[in-house]
Amino acid sequence: MLTLEHISKTFNPGTVNQKQALCDLNLEVHKGDFITILGSNGAGKSTLFNAIAGSFIADSGRILLDGRDVTFLPEHKRSGEIGRLFQDPMKGTAPSMTIEENMSLAYLRTAKKGMGFSRITRTDREWFRAQLARLGLGLEDRMKQPVGLLSGGQRQALTLLMATMVTPKLLLLDEHTAALDPGTAEKVLNLTKEIVEQKQITCLMITHNLASSLELGNRTLMMDAGRIVLDVAGQERSGLTVQDLLDRFKVGAGKQLDNDRILLSAQ
């Protein structure tokens, strides 16, 4: 479904700030996979997502989506097939535009490419309202209000809905609940699981929570220094404990995991 072959990326080459963010990385994602991804800051997790989304062109290697080579396809052309949520709830929506206008943009980009707001029908608006009602946040009665008036949790839930209104081939979740309070984060995460399962969306999710990385989805990756050092799934994964993950990371990376945020999640 998604194939990354020998992907490498170095930022600021030839300078004192040179950093190799991805190092000859290979990854095969199967249709229906829900993959959780762990790693310290600088391990290459978000850079991996940027490579998949087309935020930059990799220095080497190629990327295939459903068998089609998208290596040199720009980000805006991939966005119709790849949905993405960021850690910052302020990303993914236009704050000065209304909820309805934001949803219209997301819908037109994927379902009715090239059409303007004038082509949004009454039926479309009724469908938007029904989709918003699923969130249980009362947003269906606020469709004419600017998105900038919403709380972080409401915006993140709206962004999730916008990214999946028209089912994407791939959904990238970059710690999309990390900036929310615990109660709101749990609600958004439950909504995520519901939508991904219902629509059978292939999904990659970055997390810093060791327990969640084993509880969610069907496969877990751990990254270090731009490489995938652990890839477990199926029966092998179901029998793992948090300590097992830490032990396997040490073997794969040649060092202990030293990210306090991840380690605290294990306590």
Side-chain angles (χ1 to χ4, degrees), residues 89-100:
M90 301 302 110
K91 291 185 176 181
T93 53
S96 62
M97 298 175 68
T98 67
I99 293 174
E100 180 182 306

Side-chain angles (χ1 to χ4, degrees), residues 19-41:
K19 176 176 175 55
Q20 185 165 27
L22 296 175
C23 181
D24 195 33
L25 186 144
N26 294 283
L27 176 63
E28 185 74 33
V29 178
H30 306 290
K31 186 175 178 62
D33 270 347
F34 187 159
I35 301 175
T36 55
I37 304 174
L38 282 161
S40 300
N41 294 335

Side-chain angles (χ1 to χ4, degrees), residues 21-82:
L22 296 175
C23 181
D24 195 33
L25 186 144
N26 294 283
L27 176 63
E28 185 74 33
V29 178
H30 306 290
K31 186 175 178 62
D33 270 347
F34 187 159
I35 301 175
T36 55
I37 304 174
L38 282 161
S40 300
N41 294 335
K45 307 181 300 299
S46 292
T47 306
L48 170 63
F49 276 17
N50 286 336
I52 295 170
S55 301
F56 58 75
I57 302 300
D59 297 335
S60 61
R62 65 176 188 155
I63 300 172
L64 305 177
L65 183 62
D66 263 356
R68 182 166 64 106
D69 193 332
V70 298
T71 307
F72 299 102
L73 197 68
E75 185 171 18
H76 71 276
K77 290 191 175 181
R78 298 190 205 186
S79 65
E81 299 178 314
I82 300 176

Side-chain angles (χ1 to χ4, degrees), residues 38-43 45 175 207-210 222-224 246 249 255-267:
L38 282 161
S40 300
N41 294 335
K45 307 181 300 299
E175 290 195 87
T207 179
H208 269 92
N209 190 295
L210 285 162
M222 296 189 79
M223 294 186 65
D224 180 67
L246 294 173
F249 177 86
K255 62 181 180 181
Q256 291 184 335
L257 185 67
D258 60 359
N259 184 277
D260 291 341
R261 185 176 170 194
I262 296 177
L263 294 174
L264 285 172
S265 76
Q267 299 179 4

Side-chain angles (χ1 to χ4, degrees), residues 203-221:
C203 179
L204 280 69
M205 185 182 83
I206 295 172
T207 179
H208 269 92
N209 190 295
L210 285 162
S212 292
S213 73
L214 291 173
E215 294 166 0
L216 296 171
N218 66 306
R219 185 175 167 191
T220 298
L221 305 181

Side-chain angles (χ1 to χ4, degrees), residues 72-248:
F72 299 102
L73 197 68
E75 185 171 18
H76 71 276
K77 290 191 175 181
R78 298 190 205 186
S79 65
E81 299 178 314
I82 300 176
R84 187 174 184 181
L85 269 74
F86 298 87
Q87 179 176 336
D88 185 355
M90 301 302 110
K91 291 185 176 181
T93 53
S96 62
M97 298 175 68
T98 67
I99 293 174
E100 180 182 306
E101 289 170 341
N102 272 272
M103 295 183 73
S104 297
L105 279 177
Y107 181 60
L108 292 170
R109 187 183 71 242
T110 52
K112 300 180 178 180
K113 294 180 182 179
M115 298 184 181
F117 284 120
S118 62
R119 300 304 296 270
I120 290 294
T121 66
R122 177 180 296 180
T123 300
D124 290 333
R125 292 187 177 92
E126 290 174 353
W127 186 67
F128 292 167
R129 182 179 294 276
Q131 295 299 304
L132 286 168
R134 294 178 57 202
L135 302 179
L137 299 172
L139 298 184
E140 65 274 16
D141 298 320
R142 301 173 61 183
M143 290 179 61
K144 298 297 184 182
Q145 291 188 6
V147 168
L149 298 178
L150 303 182
S151 68
Q154 290 172 327
R155 285 183 71 161
Q156 203 68 313
L158 175 61
T159 304
L160 174 63
L161 184 61
M162 289 165 54
T164 57
M165 277 196 306
V166 178
T167 306
K169 290 184 178 180
L170 182 67
L171 181 62
L172 305 177
L173 304 174
D174 193 347
E175 290 195 87
H176 69 304
T177 63
L180 308 178
D181 66 82
T184 304
E186 183 178 3
K187 188 166 187 175
V188 171
L189 190 57
N190 287 336
L191 179 64
T192 301
K193 291 187 289 185
E194 177 187 327
I195 291 176
V196 168
E197 182 176 348
Q198 182 185 59
K199 297 195 171 190
Q200 298 183 319
I201 301 172
T202 304
C203 179
L204 280 69
M205 185 182 83
I206 295 172
T207 179
H208 269 92
N209 190 295
L210 285 162
S212 292
S213 73
L214 291 173
E215 294 166 0
L216 296 171
N218 66 306
R219 185 175 167 191
T220 298
L221 305 181
M222 296 189 79
M223 294 186 65
D224 180 67
R227 300 175 296 122
I228 295 172
V229 297
L230 177 68
D231 184 351
V232 289
Q235 192 64 35
E236 180 186 11
R237 177 181 182 261
S238 66
L240 291 180
T241 66
V242 166
Q243 188 57 52
D244 290 332
L245 271 186
L246 294 173
D247 292 341
R248 292 200 178 196

